[in-house]
Amino acid sequence: MNILFTIDLKNYNPEWKRSERPSVRAVIRADDDRLALVYAKKAGYYKFPGGGINADEDKIAALVREVMEETGLAVLPQTVQAYGLVHRCQKSDMFPQTIFVQDSFYYFCDVSREGGGLTVHQQQLDDYEADAGFELRTVSIKDAVAANRAYCGTGASDFTMIARDTRVLEMLCGMEPEASCGIALKVVAADEIPLLHQMQIEAFSGLLQKYQDYDTNPGAEAVERIVQRYEQPWSQYYFIVDGTEKVGAIRIVDMRDGSRKRISPLWIMPEFRGRGYAQQAIRAAEKIYGADNWSLHTILQEKGNCHLYEKLGYHQTGECQKINECMDLVCYEKN
């Protein structure tokens, strides 16, 4: 099958074990202007009907099963035609030191119809799908793309999945990918860890000299500590990028269990400070992980940082840890 495009976050060590989960996706035209898509009511995004291929199951059988389960539509096997595949590769958010690899096979197909409309049977949703509020909707491609571009995700993996389906939607109607503006968050690749460590040491050196907090300051961390965090399934490092310039970095901790997501740490390189990059980075992280249920720690004596977080909707919880005679760490949360 023709490869449409590849998504490779390169946020893994190539020596890690691989976990492969091929999948099928259905492109179903409801009429001349609209597709039959799955709408996730809880998060507000559209996806192509489809999912993982079971062991010893062929692709067409998986397509028929998945479409019926998610939408209640009955695929007509004789109408199935290959469109193309998307190759996806990234760090697993379920297993440590594991590369998640997925080939998603997209197929044009038709479904049973009656009286000029789609014949819809009962959905057979699993717990995850039911909680997400999966429902069948017929929608124009441009409206689906607009909804997905506004999507605020619940994690890097979900965000990548929606970005994949959004790009396929754009390709189907000849739309150009959404142009980026301002900063972007770029996943740190495994071979970029030494650079990440070097930037972190430099960025925090001023605070380390000022407060002498060698047990808590990221500027005193060994590269081995960053590698350890990098390999955690719930931890993700991003470079903060403006054009081709790496202006800083941010690490997001998301346990994906309903607990608070955490920023730890966030930094802007000295030569790029005072330009609003930290605020943009936090906003970009919220677009990926969702705008609520966050926490972070910062130095109470650094009033500029406290003001930044308060301006973004964070509030102090009252938790305060004295590190030494001249420094306290305070906790901020955003609900």
Side-chain angles (χ1 to χ4, degrees), residues 30-309:
D31 52 41
D32 290 341
D33 300 320
R34 296 178 300 165
L35 296 180
L37 297 174
V38 173
Y39 182 68
K41 292 188 293 184
K42 187 173 183 179
Y45 65 81
Y46 287 93
K47 67 177 286 292
F48 288 96
I53 303 170
N54 292 332
D56 301 323
E57 185 179 37
D58 67 48
K59 296 183 181 68
I60 305 305
L63 189 75
V64 172
R65 175 182 55 78
E66 283 285 347
V67 172
M68 175 59 72
E69 290 175 355
E70 291 190 351
T71 67
L73 298 176
V75 170
L76 303 174
Q78 68 273 20
T79 68
V80 175
Q81 294 182 322
Y83 174 47
L85 74 86
V86 177
H87 182 69
R88 174 183 171 191
C89 195
Q90 65 187 89
K91 179 177 70 174
S92 171
D93 61 3
M94 297 180 62
F95 307 108
Q97 298 185 19
T98 301
I99 307 170
F100 176 69
V101 179
Q102 184 173 68
D103 283 334
S104 292
F105 299 88
Y106 288 78
Y107 293 93
F108 292 112
C109 59
D110 199 3
V111 296
S112 296
R113 299 170 185 263
E114 184 176 352
L118 304 175
T119 302
V120 183
H121 303 275
Q122 182 68 38
Q123 291 172 287
Q124 303 165 35
L125 303 178
D126 62 25
D127 291 342
Y128 167 80
E129 294 162 345
D131 182 65
F134 279 12
E135 68 177 21
L136 170 66
R137 288 194 183 180
T138 57
V139 61
S140 73
I141 294 179
K142 290 186 177 180
D143 285 347
V145 168
N148 284 8
R149 286 178 174 179
Y151 165 71
C152 289
T154 56
S157 184
D158 285 347
F159 195 78
T160 304
M161 181 265 290
I162 300 308
R164 178 200 64 206
D165 275 10
T166 303
R167 183 62 192 124
V168 174
L169 286 166
E170 292 166 341
M171 293 174 71
L172 286 169
C173 67
M175 294 175 65
E176 291 296 322
E178 183 178 25
S180 61
C181 58
I183 64 97
L185 298 186
K186 175 185 175 293
V187 173
V188 176
D191 61 3
E192 294 176 312
I193 291 177
L195 172 61
L196 179 73
H197 179 247
Q198 178 184 341
M199 290 174 63
Q200 179 172 300
I201 296 299
E202 181 180 345
F204 284 97
S205 61
L207 290 176
L208 182 62
Q209 183 177 5
K210 181 178 180 179
Y211 294 108
Q212 303 289 301
D213 54 325
Y214 292 98
D215 292 333
T216 58
N217 194 305
E221 282 186 352
V223 68
E224 290 79 12
R225 179 58 174 152
I226 292 181
V227 171
Q228 182 185 39
R229 287 174 169 170
Y230 185 90
E231 294 179 352
Q232 295 169 339
W234 54 84
S235 172
Q236 186 67 70
Y237 281 98
Y238 298 90
F239 285 123
I240 303 165
V241 180
D242 186 358
T244 60
E245 201 78 63
K246 294 180 176 68
V247 302
I250 185 172
R251 172 177 171 255
I252 306 298
V253 178
D254 182 10
M255 303 300 293
R256 299 173 65 85
D257 60 359
S259 60
R260 289 190 181 275
K261 295 155 289 194
R262 188 159 50 92
I263 298 173
S264 176
L266 160 66
W267 74 83
I268 304 298
M269 301 304 291
E271 63 269 32
F272 296 110
R273 291 173 187 166
R275 306 185 193 181
Y277 284 133
Q279 179 174 339
Q280 291 181 61
I282 293 173
R283 292 297 191 199
E286 290 177 349
K287 183 173 177 61
I288 298 173
Y289 293 87
D292 295 323
N293 205 28
W294 288 90
S295 72
L296 58 85
H297 287 80
T298 194
I299 300 172
L300 177 63
Q301 288 75 15
E302 294 296 312
K303 300 304 181 184
N305 290 347
C306 293
H307 175 70
L308 167 67
Y309 300 132

